[in-house]
């Protein structure tokens, strides 16, 4: 059985006091809840250290939303894997569609970042997904395949826990339009098959594939009822402790 994951991508939201409030509300909700689900929060860089301190000895783990693949040097405004580890990060979102579309990140750049994260023992949450136009022209599988094949090129995995994949159709992100459980399951099944092809049947069986794109308390359980959906990457609904907690309950 694959352990489910609920990860919250805070994006560019929450200053320090707001982060303190959100984390303390979340902690109090989770304190009496026997969570069988991995819970991850990904605040902005400026709040990572605080988030790690506030979540010490709780089930909540901390991830970043991005990183650069070099160790150090003249890369103004970039953040290295070591820096993330030094503030208590265990996970890092890589290749989010907003990074790809607004900041022009390519599959090749994403490949370098994933490679670096894994080598540094950070677990990448590797995001992939098609645009509305690509879906409507029947290119979903082609796009997903090239994102995965290039994103994971020459990256070896010792075990399935070194990587998490998040399928996030761009047309469903922040739009209130969720993929139907059937639409999502179809792509998740395809991704698992690809992973089996690239790595092995064993890794494919164990790797966690999250769905993201307008996940809410109301739609989480129907999405999670699908065989190949192992959790959620949540944007908007993770900014309130109540809705994030309701999603964690629904996923469980
Ligand atoms: P959303 O964002 O839940 O607000 O659609 C998901 C994401 O971008 O990870």
């Amino acid at each position: 059985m694959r352990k489910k994951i609920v990860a919250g991508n805070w994006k560019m939201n929450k200053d320090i006091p707001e982060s303190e409030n959100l984390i303390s509300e979340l902690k109090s909700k989770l304190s009496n809840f026997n969570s069988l689900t991995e819970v991850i929060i990904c605040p902005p860089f400026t709040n990572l250290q605080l988030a790690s301190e506030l979540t010490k000895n709780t089930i909540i783990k901390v991830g970043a939303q991005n990183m650069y693949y070099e160790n150090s040097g003249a890369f103004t405004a970039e953040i290295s894997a070591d820096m993330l580890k030094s503030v208590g990060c265990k996970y890092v979102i890589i290749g989010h569609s907003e990074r790809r579309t607004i900041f022009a990140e390519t599959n090749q750049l994403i490949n370098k970042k994933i490679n670096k994260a894994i080598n540094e023992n950070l677990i990448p949450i590797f995001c992939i997904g098609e645009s509305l136009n690509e879906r409507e022209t029947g290119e979903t599988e082609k796009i997903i395949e090239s994102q995965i094949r290039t994103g994971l090129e020459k990256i070896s995995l010792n075990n399935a826990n070194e990587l998490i994949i998040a399928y996030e159709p761009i047309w469903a992100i922040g739009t209130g339009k969720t993929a139907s459980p059937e639409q999502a399951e179809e792509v998740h099944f395809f991704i698992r098959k690809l992973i089996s092809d690239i790595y092995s049947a064993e890794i494919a069986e164990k790797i966690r594939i999250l769905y993201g794109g307008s996940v809410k308390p109301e739609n989480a359980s129907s999405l999670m009822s699908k065989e190949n959906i192992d959790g959620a990457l949540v944007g908007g609904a993770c900014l309130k402790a109540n809705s994030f907690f309701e999603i964690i309950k629904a996923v469980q």
Side-chain angles (χ1 to χ4, degrees), residues 51-95:
S52 296
E53 281 161 13
L54 295 178
T55 56
K56 210 172 261 166
N57 303 322
T58 72
I59 63 149
I60 306 168
K61 300 280 178 288
V62 175
Q65 298 172 20
N66 188 21
M67 58 163 251
Y68 197 52
Y69 62 82
E70 292 284 0
N71 288 331
S72 62
F75 304 102
T76 300
E78 293 297 326
I79 301 282
S80 72
D82 263 348
M83 292 170 181
L84 295 184
K85 287 194 289 186
S86 76
V87 290
C89 283
K90 300 270 181 290
Y91 301 83
V92 56
I93 297 173
I94 293 183

Side-chain angles (χ1 to χ4, degrees), residues 43-204:
F45 290 131
T46 47
N47 304 349
L48 289 173
Q49 182 161 12
L50 174 78
S52 296
E53 281 161 13
L54 295 178
T55 56
K56 210 172 261 166
N57 303 322
T58 72
I59 63 149
I60 306 168
K61 300 280 178 288
V62 175
Q65 298 172 20
N66 188 21
M67 58 163 251
Y68 197 52
Y69 62 82
E70 292 284 0
N71 288 331
S72 62
F75 304 102
T76 300
E78 293 297 326
I79 301 282
S80 72
D82 263 348
M83 292 170 181
L84 295 184
K85 287 194 289 186
S86 76
V87 290
C89 283
K90 300 270 181 290
Y91 301 83
V92 56
I93 297 173
I94 293 183
H96 189 277
S97 69
E98 285 146 22
R99 298 299 315 169
R100 294 173 184 267
T101 56
I102 306 171
F103 300 99
E105 290 199 9
T106 61
N107 288 329
Q108 287 75 13
L109 175 66
I110 289 161
N111 172 251
K112 289 183 178 160
K113 293 184 177 190
I114 295 174
N115 191 38
K116 182 64 176 173
I118 292 177
N119 285 334
E120 296 288 340
N121 294 318
L122 285 165
I123 301 172
I125 302 174
F126 169 32
C127 300
I128 50 175
E130 81 287 1
S131 67
L132 184 58
N133 181 50
E134 288 158 350
R135 173 159 285 264
E136 285 174 351
T137 52
E139 291 179 300
T140 299
E141 293 191 351
K142 191 182 105 193
I143 293 296
I144 297 292
E145 177 155 5
S146 77
Q147 289 173 336
I148 289 195
R149 286 199 186 274
T150 311
L152 298 179
E153 201 173 340
K154 299 205 178 83
I155 291 178
S156 50
L157 292 179
N158 296 316
N159 69 69
N161 288 327
E162 289 181 331
L163 176 71
I164 296 166
I165 296 175
Y167 168 58
E168 300 203 299
I170 298 172
W171 47 273
I173 295 179
T175 57
K177 253 199 237 170
T178 326
S180 69
E182 293 68 31
Q183 279 174 320
E185 170 65 11
E186 200 179 15
V187 181
H188 282 233
F189 176 76
F190 177 72
I191 295 168
R192 208 175 290 288
K193 235 175 40 192
L194 257 176
I195 294 295
S196 171
D197 198 36
I198 298 170
Y199 294 103
S200 66
E202 194 196 337
I203 288 195

Side-chain angles (χ1 to χ4, degrees), residues 9 11 96 98 168 172-175 212-215 233-237:
N9 174 9
K11 308 193 181 183
H96 189 277
E98 285 146 22
E168 300 203 299
I173 295 179
T175 57
S214 299
V215 175
L233 180 55
V234 184

